[in-house]
Structures are given as C-alpha cells and as structure tokens.
Amino acid sequence: MPTDLTIRTYDPAGHLGRHQALDPRSLAYRRPYDGQPLRPTAWEPRIPVLDQRNLLAQGILTSASYGLDTDVDALASCTGQAATALLSILLTPEQATGAGLHTSSVVAAQHFAIGLYADATAADRWLEHTWPTHDIGSSGLGVAKAMRARGLIDQYGHATTAEELCTLLQTGPVLLGLPWCSAFTDTTDPHGFIDADPDWAASPLEGGHEVCVTALEDVAQVDGQLDPDHTVLRFRNSHGPSWGDHGDGRLRLSTYLAIRAQADVIQPRRDGVLL
C-alpha cells in the first residue's frame, strides 16, 4: 500500500461507495484562484440519469455480464457513475461512441459506469480487493487514474478551497467526493437541496459518495468576497431520476466548506497537457 496517500474509508453500500484518497503529488497540481471573475456556469450531461441501485429493474444482470454467482441489485459504484456523467460532457459524441459510451442508452451507459468502477478499484492499489470479486467501493482519485489509463482524459486537477472549486467550474464539470448523511438521501426538497434541513449535519453518516458537479448556478459576493451561504452548486447524482430534482441535487457552498475535511474535488480534463 502506498504510504504517501491520505486514506479515509467508509463502509460501502449499494447506494454509496466512495472512499477519500488524497495524493500530495497530484494535489500540488491545483489551479489557484487568482482573483478572476466567477460567473454562473452550467455543463449538461448527455446521458440519462443513472441509478446504481435497482439494477435488476433496469435489466442489468451482473451474473451474466461480470461472472458473478448471482445477480446483485445494487453496487457501490458511485465513482464510475459520476465519472460517466462527466465524460458524457467532456467527450464529443464521436469520442464517446469510440470509447464505448453510448449516450442514448441507460443500460449501455450503466455498463460503461460499472466498467469504470472496476478499473477504479484496480487503480486504488491501497485496496485489498477489486470488483467484481468484492464490492468494496473506490475513490475519486482511482476513477481519475482509470480514465487516464483508458486515454479518455490527459490530466486531472484538484481544488481544496471554495474559490478553487468555483474556478474549476468556469471551465468544466468536476467530481466531488463527499461524506453522505442520511438527510441527503431522504431529502424531499423539490429543488434537490441536500442541505435544506438546517440540521443535516446532525443526521447519521451513511458513508461516502461521489457525484458530478455540473453547474455553479448562483454566485453571491459580499464586499468582493464569495458569500458561501448564497452561492449554489448543482450536481448529477446516481440515485435515479426520481431523486431530488429529476436526478439532480444542489448544495450551498457553505455546505461544501462544512464537509471539506472529508471531501475531495477532482477535475478530469482533455486539453493536451499531460500531468
């Protein structure tokens, strides 16, 4: 196991499966905030909303496709799901098809996501097992390495502050790994705000989760500084279209700041520059 990584693991479940893995080498390749104007941006996935749960109802038979003894109805594959949503934005339609990501089919996109999840567990060399042998979850760093190994991206960068996160969203979507509280799963807010309950932090921690942040919807400032309570992020979740706002969720930047110690932000990119 690499000794220079900072690792925080969570018990994986069928709707959660992200672990926090921080690599000081890649964290050094951050794009610091230099005072540039921060504007609302939006990047829309070109695939249907995925659901890492209820696989059987979607026609995903894991025994036949992945050599399992029995079919499972859920996988802790959120890193692969979030990365697939991101790739559907990052790749052109021709590039996506060439990579095996067929954006018009839920089943095909789900299989692509599960394959990325398998690759991510192998890239997370600190994990004892890999999927499909064990459904043990993976990390945002692992799935970024898996995408790069496939040639789908040529680099990835990180953010560790609210300003850096908003800066990355000026140029594209990002992967956000976060601790997932029960209040986030149970949200009934019609706009998908996972922090609609002011006591969300007091709800039980269910595990770790990975989502694709697709928009900086509102940018609020006070005296030239970001106002975290009124700056809003939108993300694509992988809990199906009935969750949140038709499958999307939102959170305030202040919530990101509250969970930052257990979060990680990675932006996979295709811009011809190798890390």
Side-chain angles (χ1 to χ4, degrees):
M1 170 180 169
T3 59
D4 58 342
L5 298 180
T6 299
I7 305 295
R8 187 194 301 265
T9 61
Y10 303 83
D11 291 333
H15 65 296
L16 304 169
R18 168 262 182 186
H19 307 293
Q20 185 186 42
L22 303 177
D23 177 8
R25 175 186 172 273
S26 58
L27 281 172
Y29 288 86
R30 304 201 312 273
R31 292 188 174 178
Y33 176 59
D34 59 5
Q36 70 184 84
L38 298 174
R39 300 182 175 86
T41 57
W43 313 90
E44 299 302 329
R46 294 198 302 270
I47 58 171
V49 177
L50 299 181
D51 190 351
Q52 65 196 90
R53 312 163 301 171
N54 307 307
L55 296 177
L56 294 175
Q58 300 173 64
I60 308 295
L61 303 180
T62 50
S63 61
S65 299
Y66 305 103
L68 302 182
D69 292 336
T70 58
D71 290 316
V72 298
D73 200 29
L75 284 171
S77 57
C78 56
T79 56
Q81 313 279 325
T84 299
L86 183 142
L87 286 170
S88 77
I89 301 169
L90 201 62
L91 303 178
T92 67
E94 294 77 14
Q95 289 169 337
T97 300
L101 174 55
H102 300 284
T103 56
S104 61
S105 167
V106 175
V107 172
Q110 183 62 257
H111 279 297
F112 185 91
I114 293 172
L116 267 184
Y117 167 53
D119 289 357
T121 63
D124 280 323
R125 298 186 182 278
W126 49 272
L127 285 171
E128 184 177 357
H129 302 288
T130 62
W131 194 83
T133 307
H134 293 82
D135 186 20
I136 36 69
S138 57
S139 70
L141 181 62
V143 81
K145 290 180 177 180
M147 285 188 283
R148 191 176 182 198
R150 288 192 184 190
L152 300 173
I153 62 172
D154 52 30
Q155 67 164 323
Y156 49 88
H158 298 261
T160 59
T161 70
E163 290 81 7
E164 289 174 355
L165 169 55
C166 293
T167 299
L168 289 182
L169 286 168
Q170 301 299 295
T171 58
V174 304
L175 298 178
L176 171 62
L178 71 163
W180 195 258
C181 299
S182 62
F184 298 168
T185 296
D186 299 334
T187 181
T188 56
D189 181 84
H191 302 292
F193 275 95
I194 60 174
D195 48 10
D197 181 352
D199 295 323
W200 64 264
S203 66
L205 177 67
E206 292 189 342
H209 193 39
E210 193 87 15
V211 299
C212 177
V213 181
T214 58
L216 179 61
E217 285 198 325
D218 295 304
V219 181
Q221 293 187 330
V222 175
D223 296 329
Q225 302 296 317
L226 271 177
D227 177 4
D229 287 328
H230 298 95
T231 297
V232 176
L233 307 175
R234 173 161 51 91
F235 63 88
R236 171 62 57 87
N237 201 1
S238 54
H239 290 171
S242 63
W243 182 90
D245 181 8
H246 300 90
D248 284 350
R250 291 176 172 85
L251 73 156
R252 296 165 181 84
L253 198 59
S254 56
T255 299
Y256 163 73
L257 290 172
I259 63 175
R260 185 170 55 171
Q262 294 189 55
D264 58 79
V265 175
I266 299 177
Q267 186 183 57
R269 298 193 285 264
R270 287 177 61 94
D271 51 16
V273 179
L274 294 178
L275 186 67

